[in-house]
Amino acid sequence: MLFSRSTRWSALSTILILGLAGLFLWGCPAKKPQQNQSLMSSGDAASQVYVAPGQYDEFYGFFSGGFSGQVTVYGLPSGRLFKIIPVFSQFPENSYGYSEETKAMLMTSYGFVPWDDSHHPELSQTNGVPDGRWLFINANNTPRIARIDLKTFETDEIIEIPNSGGNHASPFCTMNTEYVVASTRFSVPIPNEDVSIETYKENFKGTITFIKVAEDGDMEIAFQILVPGFNYDLSHSGKGASHGWSFFTCYNTEQANTLLEVNASQNDKDFIAAVNWKKAEEYVAQGKAKEMPATYFNNKMNHKTHIAESKVGKTVKVLTPAECPGLIYYLPTPKSPHGVDVDPTGEYIAAGGKLATVIPVHSFSKMLKAIEDKAFETEIDGIPVLKYEAVMAGEVENCGLGPLHTEFDGNGYAYTSAFISSEVVKWKIGTWEVVDRIPTYYSIGHLMIPGGDSQKPWGKYLVALNKITKDRYLPTGPELCQSAQLIDISGDKMKLLLDFPTMGEPHYAQAIPADILMPNVTKIYPLEENQHPYAAKSEAETGMTRDGNTVHIKMTTIRTHFAPDNLEGVKVGDKVYFHVTNLEQDWDIPHGFAMKGANTAELLIMPGQTRTYVWEPQEPGVYPFYCTDFCSALHQEMSGYVRVSPKNANVSFKYHVGE
């Protein structure tokens, strides 16, 4: 796009103004806001968030862990932290990524990658409503998508995304979870090769990836779409009338590769990419997709053995828009858009132009009419750019500074986060008028309404996910926690009820009523179904075997002893595998296992499960091991010893429990 000198100056002026406002909010010591006190005094906020001892929260809230690479589970409205679900990072609390059974979950084409940056949790849907089967979440750094089984609250599968750099617009699902989608935040040469960065405009491309989700949850890359080298930021799929389409924001339509804070903010309008994925399915079926070499891992937990297994993909199917008319269209959108959010009817598509002064709302029906009328402004790499006026439903004015992300309450209202002015703005769908606003503390990024991106939101609460917490909590040195704030949206006026600190940097969250998940939660793993190759289903099946310098120990644990708990015959230089089976068949009775001097995490073994611990003793001696999870009144007594002899010693195996 070409713009006049005055237009470019206007864009730069906007950046400077917003930047100065941002610096003020981020860099200046904050004072306790008096406004907050008046908000809290309007009704008994404490009683609305209080969950009495023994009572349950109304909602499960799933928050991304950001730079922790994990997912956190909070109760709403209490704000209580229930669980950290390990996903993309090793987690010593339960040996995820350390135990032999789970290491494969973190395998990629780059090798074992034990960390990532998780951004956007997304609940599976049926008929456009969260159904409680799975939670998906993206890895931004080494592009991946994980699927968490909400029966066990454990990571069940992780698939790597090839031809991608920065998996940010991910993993938003279609209304029946036919697909989860992903696209590139950072465009790269595709296939990646050694080229000058200065050739960005000639050689760098983006991809949009559609990942098929089977009935049992298995994920498979169905196809990718090769798109111009912009920065693709966020996504949501259509619903209702717009089912069959997915929408992606993109900025840096200037295709800058340095100082993006200025060079990627020149154009007055960037784009929303509207992808007709049903048309894409037709093109794939017609053989229009080209097979491109690509190496990527798909890691999945085997539910029978409880051992993660990896498959390696070698090719992907790639569609090129210029060869596939009607596949994708660009909707001009001011200015550096972040969020793209579809209202419950599927008709309205709201964008969060973070450098814009309005919230642009596109009309799906007008978009279809503009396509029919060929109301195109231009074309980029075979992708028609629709005229802004032809697709526009309306603009929300006075929407705050730095609008980012919008969700819906199901009652005809939308709520948008404004990062720079630190507020949530409520506006009416159809009239586009702002009807209420409430400050947040401070620098809100995403916001979340339970079911707020679905066809039937549970429009009772809104959660603001804030980046800055100066003066909100007791100080903890240079690094302060991030914050979530719970806001009541059940009435005409929004009301702040609670704020609570969060783990990591929660970029986004989703929530679902507890009564949808609770009936299906797994309590134990039936011991008779355990098909782990080293499972010992009774103490009679325990033992030790040697194969060269490798020793396998089959061990059981039950309140309140290990079997065996005295072992001899291990030598310096051995690689010792402890395969520990928890014989308990009672809910909430895990057992732990740890060995002195081992350079790995403990094991935490659920009832009926087998987990494996590796130990390589370095010196002769007698080494204690013990249970790390308090399991009974005699937990302290739950321990044992391993005798380690010199490398060339002639010591045979001897192991027992009891006299």
Side-chain angles (χ1 to χ4, degrees):
M1 290 184 175
L2 298 178
F3 298 93
S4 67
R5 182 179 301 172
S6 61
T7 302
R8 291 197 297 271
W9 173 246
S10 173
L12 287 170
S13 299
T14 301
I15 296 164
L16 289 171
I17 292 168
L18 297 182
L20 287 171
L23 285 172
F24 175 77
L25 285 175
W26 281 66
C28 298
K31 295 181 179 180
K32 284 283 185 182
Q34 296 301 314
Q35 190 174 8
N36 189 29
Q37 300 303 319
S38 64
L39 287 167
M40 295 297 288
S41 65
S42 58
D44 186 0
S47 67
Q48 294 183 58
V49 301
Y50 178 67
V51 179
Q55 300 299 308
Y56 294 144
D57 277 279
E58 187 177 354
F59 293 94
Y60 285 98
F62 298 95
F63 291 57
S64 68
F67 40 69
S68 78
Q70 318 293 37
V71 167
T72 52
V73 185
Y74 292 87
L76 299 176
S78 72
R80 298 179 295 188
L81 175 64
F82 295 147
K83 185 179 179 67
I84 299 173
I85 303 174
V87 184
F88 297 114
S89 298
Q90 289 178 299
F91 193 59
E93 181 178 308
N94 66 3
S95 73
Y96 179 86
Y98 291 97
S99 69
E100 296 303 292
E101 289 80 8
T102 59
K103 285 180 180 177
M105 294 300 291
L106 302 179
M107 287 302 298
T108 75
S109 60
Y110 303 94
F112 182 73
V113 178
W115 171 85
D116 220 297
D117 180 19
S118 61
H119 280 222
H120 306 123
E122 174 83 353
L123 290 160
S124 58
Q125 294 187 7
T126 300
N127 295 325
V129 181
D131 55 27
R133 290 179 294 167
W134 308 300
L135 182 79
F136 302 92
I137 190 162
N138 63 323
N140 191 40
N141 187 59
T142 302
R144 290 171 282 178
I145 289 176
R147 177 175 55 83
I148 296 167
D149 186 339
L150 291 180
K151 295 191 300 294
T152 62
F153 284 64
E154 294 180 352
T155 302
D156 212 32
E157 184 177 11
I158 297 178
I159 190 167
E160 187 180 4
I161 302 173
N163 299 326
S164 178
N167 173 40
H168 197 257
S170 169
F172 302 97
C173 67
T174 55
M175 65 177 283
N176 287 299
T177 321
E178 299 95 339
Y179 296 97
V180 289
V181 302
S183 63
T184 50
R185 178 181 174 189
F186 311 118
S187 292
V188 293
I190 297 176
N192 210 344
E193 57 185 344
D194 178 18
V195 299
S196 170
I197 299 172
E198 294 178 356
T199 66
Y200 186 106
K201 292 183 179 180
E202 293 77 29
N203 290 317
F204 286 53
K205 296 291 184 181
T207 55
I208 294 174
T209 304
F210 280 76
I211 297 169
K212 189 71 176 174
V213 182
E215 284 297 316
D216 63 358
D218 280 8
M219 296 188 291
E220 179 183 9
I221 295 177
F223 56 87
Q224 294 185 314
I225 303 172
L226 197 65
V227 289
F230 307 149
N231 290 55
Y232 295 81
D233 203 14
L234 279 175
S235 175
H236 267 103
S237 293
K239 54 179 75 80
S242 54
H243 179 52
W245 292 76
S246 288
F247 305 94
F248 301 79
T249 54
C250 55
Y251 63 97
N252 191 21
T253 53
E254 300 85 353
Q255 294 184 278
N257 59 276
T258 183
L259 280 179
L260 266 62
E261 60 189 276
V262 174
N263 294 324
S265 303
Q266 299 291 307
N267 293 343
D268 276 354
K269 293 183 178 69
D270 293 289
F271 299 125
I272 287 174
V275 178
N276 187 337
W277 56 261
K278 289 191 175 181
K279 178 75 71 174
E281 289 178 328
E282 294 174 7
Y283 281 127
V284 171
Q286 294 167 11
K288 293 282 189 178
K290 296 177 181 177
E291 292 280 350
M292 179 180 289
T295 301
Y296 58 97
F297 273 65
N298 188 345
N299 311 316
K300 187 183 176 187
M301 184 61 66
N302 183 315
H303 290 165
K304 295 180 179 179
T305 64
H306 298 281
I307 299 173
E309 301 168 349
S310 296
K311 295 189 299 183
V312 181
K314 292 295 186 182
T315 62
V316 288
K317 295 177 179 178
V318 178
L319 295 169
T320 302
E323 300 172 2
C324 303
L327 175 62
I328 181 171
Y329 298 89
Y330 280 138
L331 283 59
T333 303
K335 180 175 192 317
S336 296
H338 186 60
V340 53
D341 304 288
V342 182
D343 87 307
T345 70
E347 167 63 16
Y348 297 115
I349 305 147
K354 57 183 180 284
L355 299 181
T357 58
V358 297
I359 298 169
V361 184
H362 300 289
S363 162
F364 179 72
S365 57
K366 285 188 173 183
M367 183 194 83
L368 294 182
K369 183 68 165 57
I371 293 170
E372 181 183 353
D373 294 343
K374 299 188 184 304
F376 303 149
E377 181 180 300
T378 186
E379 186 176 282
I380 301 174
D381 291 359
I383 301 173
V385 179
L386 301 175
K387 293 181 178 179
Y388 182 69
E389 295 76 12
V391 297
M392 184 53 48
E395 294 179 335
V396 181
E397 299 180 350
N398 193 25
C399 60
L401 295 176
L404 290 183
H405 173 219
T406 299
E407 292 211 345
F408 307 90
D409 64 5
N411 298 313
Y413 293 97
Y415 301 75
T416 299
S417 58
F419 174 78
I420 293 175
S421 52
S422 289
E423 60 182 329
V424 174
V425 178
K426 177 181 178 181
W427 48 276
K428 187 170 179 58
I429 299 171
T431 67
W432 323 120
E433 61 180 322
V434 171
V435 298
D436 193 23
R437 58 203 320 135
I438 188 172
T440 58
Y441 308 102
Y442 304 96
S443 299
I444 180 175
H446 283 279
L447 52 75
M448 177 271 287
I449 295 170
D453 67 342
S454 75
Q455 286 200 290
K456 294 182 179 180
W458 295 278
K460 183 175 182 179
Y461 300 118
L462 180 148
V463 177
L465 299 164
N466 305 326
K467 305 299 186 185
I468 301 296
T469 57
K470 289 181 180 182
D471 80 21
R472 300 302 295 175
Y473 307 112
L474 292 172
T476 53
E479 182 187 7
L480 302 178
C481 62
Q482 277 80 32
S483 168
Q485 293 188 302
L486 185 73
I487 297 170
D488 179 0
I489 60 169
S490 60
D492 292 337
K493 295 292 185 181
M494 294 179 282
K495 183 173 65 173
L496 178 63
L497 300 178
L498 176 73
D499 62 6
F500 54 96
T502 54
M503 305 292 292
E505 184 191 356
H507 292 262
Y508 182 47
Q510 292 224 305
I512 189 170
D515 57 14
I516 293 178
L517 295 192
M518 285 180 62
N520 301 316
V521 168
T522 297
K523 296 183 177 180
I524 64 168
Y525 296 103
L527 194 60
E528 66 273 13
E529 296 177 8
N530 184 340
Q531 296 183 22
H532 192 289
Y534 287 96
K537 299 182 184 180
S538 70
E539 292 186 8
E541 297 180 10
T542 61
M544 296 174 67
T545 58
R546 177 183 289 280
D547 182 7
N549 291 332
T550 300
V551 175
H552 289 278
I553 299 171
K554 293 172 66 174
M555 180 180 286
T556 61
T557 177
I558 197 169
R559 288 167 287 184
T560 47
H561 65 271
F562 294 98
D565 62 3
N566 281 214
L567 302 100
E568 300 185 17
V570 173
K571 302 177 185 179
V572 172
D574 284 346
K575 190 170 188 176
V576 185
Y577 291 82
F578 292 89
H579 307 283
V580 186
T581 302
N582 183 349
L583 297 180
E584 306 281 359
Q585 291 289 267
D586 192 6
W587 191 23
D588 197 27
I589 307 294
H591 288 296
F593 180 88
M595 170 66 69
K596 178 184 176 182
N599 60 358
T600 188
E602 59 138 13
L603 292 180
L604 192 63
I605 313 129
M606 298 300 114
Q609 191 176 57
T610 303
R611 281 285 180 259
T612 301
Y613 190 92
V614 178
W615 178 49
E616 298 184 54
Q618 303 298 310
E619 297 180 0
V622 176
Y623 293 82
F625 58 86
Y626 68 103
C627 177
T628 52
D629 189 83
F630 204 103
C631 54
S632 70
L634 296 176
H635 166 74
Q636 291 294 93
E637 285 74 17
M638 194 167 175
S639 61
Y641 292 99
V642 176
R643 174 188 171 190
V644 177
S645 301
K647 186 173 185 178
N648 298 319
N650 186 20
V651 179
S652 59
F653 283 153
K654 184 168 69 172
Y655 53 90
H656 62 90
V657 58
E659 298 301 327

